[in-house]
Amino acid sequence: SSGINAEWPLRPGMILDKKDQDFGEVVFDCIVFIICTLADHKFEHFRPVLDNYITTYFFHTQVYIKLLDRLKIKVEQFQTKNIGDIMKALEYLFKFIVQSSHLHSQASTIDRSFSKFTRSLLEFFDKLNNMIKVHPNRLTTAKTLKYFPHTIPELNKILPLQTTCQIISNFIDAVPSTDKKEKSTDCDSALIPLL
């Protein structure tokens, strides 16, 4: 991280700056691209480095707001290729979101911000479920099934168990019935650790 110039035009903090809001989508797409690249098995040895960055060096307290907003927009817009990449990046997007929210809650004395964050999370999952219903594309559904369970460990850090289980239940109900067998297999991997 020491080799990164703090004045680099597309620094992560830019996503928070109103004067640079036009770059919000570019920054988000860059983050997704980097995460997808690191998700490739050829670069899996970099995952611990990214994990360490998030837990040790990542310090932006409001990034979670913009990341969730961008996720909701992308899911609503629905472009098959983009959604596939976003689903692949979902685990680490949620790591950033949860860590940012945690840092914000530590710095804030007002509990309302967390309630707003929870509502925003639930809105995202509602939109994700709606996407699966409205656009029953098998490839998109398969990728969503594959990567959705990876969000559960992060949700467990910040949400009551009952809320997390409701998110999972709503997601399972949204998956097309033609994918029931695959749905059951993949979603079990999300549910079992909760039991």
Side-chain angles (χ1 to χ4, degrees):
S1 59
S2 59
I4 297 177
N5 188 334
E7 299 303 318
W8 185 50
L10 291 181
R11 64 194 186 280
M14 175 183 289
I15 204 168
L16 303 177
D17 300 334
K18 289 184 179 180
K19 64 182 179 181
D20 293 318
Q21 61 186 356
D22 291 342
F23 292 97
E25 184 171 2
V26 175
V27 173
F28 181 84
D29 290 343
C30 286
I31 292 171
V32 169
F33 174 79
I34 292 169
I35 293 174
C36 286
T37 300
L38 293 178
D40 191 289
H41 72 277
K42 293 183 295 185
F43 304 106
E44 61 184 11
H45 55 287
F46 284 109
R47 286 174 62 101
V49 177
L50 183 55
D51 287 332
N52 184 59
Y53 167 75
I54 294 172
T55 57
T56 308
Y57 299 104
F58 179 72
F59 59 87
H60 294 287
T61 59
Q62 294 188 0
V63 162
Y64 73 94
I65 298 171
K66 294 299 182 182
L67 285 179
L68 274 175
D69 285 347
R70 284 290 160 188
L71 276 171
K72 287 185 280 189
I73 290 170
K74 292 288 188 178
V75 165
E76 282 188 316
Q77 290 177 341
F78 185 77
Q79 295 179 359
T80 304
K81 182 184 183 302
N82 290 344
I83 289 297
D85 289 342
I86 290 169
M87 291 302 104
K88 189 174 182 180
L90 203 58
E91 175 185 2
Y92 274 92
L93 288 173
F94 265 78
K95 285 179 182 286
F96 279 110
I97 287 168
V98 169
Q99 178 68 1
S100 175
S101 172
H102 174 67
L103 293 171
H104 180 77
S105 65
Q106 285 186 323
S108 176
T109 58
I110 303 175
D111 293 335
R112 288 197 302 272
S113 60
F114 183 74
S115 297
K116 185 176 180 180
F117 169 58
T118 303
R119 287 196 300 273
S120 187
L121 266 180
L122 296 178
E123 285 173 7
F124 164 69
F125 285 110
D126 283 343
K127 291 179 186 297
L128 183 67
N129 295 342
N130 188 62
M131 178 196 76
I132 297 173
K133 293 176 182 177
V134 175
H135 305 283
N137 178 288
R138 283 194 62 84
L139 179 60
T140 300
T141 301
K143 286 197 172 187
T144 307
L145 276 168
K146 180 177 181 179
Y147 295 111
F148 167 81
H150 297 172
T151 67
I152 304 305
E154 297 307 312
L155 295 179
N156 282 339
K157 295 177 182 178
I158 54 172
L159 296 178
L161 180 60
Q162 183 178 1
T163 304
T164 303
C165 287
Q166 187 62 55
I167 289 172
I168 296 171
S169 177
N170 292 344
F171 174 76
I172 293 173
D173 288 341
V175 175
S177 58
T178 53
D179 295 310
K180 274 184 178 178
K181 183 176 180 181
E182 184 177 6
K183 169 169 69 173
S184 176
T185 300
D186 288 324
C187 287
D188 279 349
S189 65
L191 287 167
I192 290 173
L194 299 176
L195 300 177

